[in-house]
Amino acid sequence: MTAICLIIGDPVSHSLSPRMHNAAYRAVGLESSFVYGSARVTSAQLPDAMAAIRTLGVRGVSVTMPHKEAVMAYLDSIDPTAAQLGAVNTIVNERGVLTGYNTDCYGIAKPLAQAIGGDSCEGCGDAPSTEPLNALVLGAGGAARAAAFALRSLNIPFSVTARTDERARDVAIRFGGSTLSWDVRDTAQAKIVINTTPIGMQSKEATAVATDDGQSPPQSPLPHRRWLPSNIAFETIYTPAETPFIVAARAGGASVILGGQMLLWQGVRQFELFTEREAPIESMRDSVEKR
Ligand code: NAP
């Protein structure tokens, strides 16, 4: 019997997850026993979609915007990390019992740990570099919570800044960070900056906020930052691969971590949860990078 895995969200047409997971199945010879597809599911359709997942015995589900919080109500159990984050991006169906996980924090912690000279994060390796580090998280949604969780597990002090102060405060309080006003974000001296806003995303759904002239959308969440070679810019957006945030950071000599790397590592952990096999990391990386 073929195990069916799916990504659900709205929109999902831009998602690289089907390509990445199917490449992984082929790489380990699972292509006749696993198949991964996508389904656009609106918020109104979520109850029916979750019932169908149970009825059809769908093995694994990747969950993307806007359902990461709402799906939690339909699950039988939730792993402690996902419970702390208040968001599920992965569902595993084990003989009709649906368990929710969150692999987004691993998607941030793993490449960040590699970039700071260790290979460390909660459950993923050795001790990190001893150099004093600090971080700024832009945005205060689900990806920001995953970033804050990852930074806490790497012992990196951080501030959160978002256009909605109250949401920034919530994330900071929950994970032990501080807050910074959105208006002064460009002046922050943080060594690591993680963009979790959709500013710079290439999609009509990404952002409707206009610039001062009221015409074009903003290009970067940090339009005036002076980047330094000692900085690390972490982008969560993966379409386009090089956002204006990344282009500016590169121009200043900073190290960069692309959204494709987050996609890869959160997907690696998902693959392992769905198949109970070791993930073919290089095949998955190729499928993301050679698009
Ligand atoms: P979310 O929960 O909707 O949070 C988005 C955050 O960005 C909110 O704080 C929101 O502010 C802020 N924001 C949105 N538009 C803005 C604008 N024009 N100006 C200033 N702030 C703005 O979304 P999410 O689930 O965290 O996802 C955020 C990003 O992470 C998306 O680009 C997504 O593609 C990416 N992501 C990537 C991966 C990966 O594997 N690479 C995985 C997960 C997510 P308000 O609260 O004021 O609305």
Side-chain angles (χ1 to χ4, degrees):
M1 204 171 81
T2 304
I4 297 168
C5 298
L6 276 180
I7 178 162
I8 62 167
D10 182 21
V12 283
S13 57
H14 68 288
S15 176
L16 293 179
S17 290
R19 180 187 165 95
M20 180 173 70
H21 283 274
N22 285 318
Y25 301 152
R26 282 193 299 276
V28 298
L30 280 178
E31 68 273 30
S32 51
S33 41
F34 273 82
V35 65
Y36 188 110
S38 67
R40 179 173 174 229
V41 172
T42 65
S43 294
Q45 292 168 330
L46 188 64
D48 286 348
M50 291 308 297
I53 283 162
R54 281 186 192 276
T55 307
L56 300 175
V58 171
R59 163 65 182 166
V61 183
S62 306
V63 182
T64 188
M65 290 190 296
H67 305 313
K68 288 183 184 179
E69 291 170 30
V71 289
M72 295 173 83
Y74 300 90
L75 305 178
D76 302 305
S77 69
I78 294 175
D79 145 275
T81 299
Q84 264 193 70
L85 283 161
V88 160
N89 79 325
T90 307
I91 301 170
V92 178
N93 184 349
E94 199 65 65
R95 293 187 186 82
V97 177
L98 302 189
T99 303
Y101 299 87
N102 190 305
T103 69
D104 282 338
C105 46
Y106 185 73
I108 292 179
K110 180 73 180 180
L112 186 54
Q114 289 173 333
I116 63 178
D119 188 9
S120 154
C121 61
E122 211 168 78
C124 65
D126 311 320
S129 132
T130 50
E131 191 187 344
L133 296 167
N134 60 341
L136 177 67
V137 178
L138 303 168
R145 288 205 297 270
F149 182 96
L151 289 163
R152 187 181 66 182
S153 64
L154 290 166
N155 291 319
I156 299 173
F158 63 92
S159 298
V160 184
T161 184
R163 66 179 178 183
T164 309
D165 284 339
E166 199 186 324
R167 293 197 77 190
R169 250 193 323 275
D170 282 352
V171 177
I173 289 169
R174 196 193 280 226
F175 298 101
S178 58
T179 54
L180 181 79
S181 162
W182 182 248
D183 295 339
V184 298
R185 65 194 184 283
D186 274 304
T187 61
Q189 296 297 310
K191 177 166 170 149
I192 301 165
V193 184
I194 307 181
N195 177 36
T196 74
T197 75
I199 302 171
M201 194 189 260
Q202 203 174 59
S203 124
K204 60 182 184 306
E205 297 87 1
T207 176
V209 172
T211 50
D212 292 342
D213 63 6
Q215 299 294 314
S216 48
Q219 293 297 298
S220 165
L222 278 186
H224 307 296
R225 179 177 171 101
R226 198 165 69 81
W227 289 99
L228 300 171
S230 56
N231 291 162
I232 298 172
F234 192 139
E235 177 63 276
T236 61
I237 295 169
Y238 64 82
T239 307
E242 298 270 325
T243 59
F245 171 77
I246 287 295
V247 170
R250 277 195 203 282
S255 305
V256 301
I257 303 173
L258 303 180
Q261 292 188 56
M262 176 178 178
L263 177 74
L264 167 68
W265 289 107
Q266 63 79 33
V268 161
R269 193 141 273 183
Q270 270 183 350
F271 175 94
E272 290 168 354
L273 287 164
F274 294 164
T275 65
E276 296 173 340
R277 296 269 291 264
E278 199 176 315
I281 295 167
E282 290 317 314
S283 303
M284 294 175 78
R285 192 193 304 278
D286 276 358
S287 74
V288 172
E289 288 177 358
K290 295 179 187 155
R291 46 174 135 150

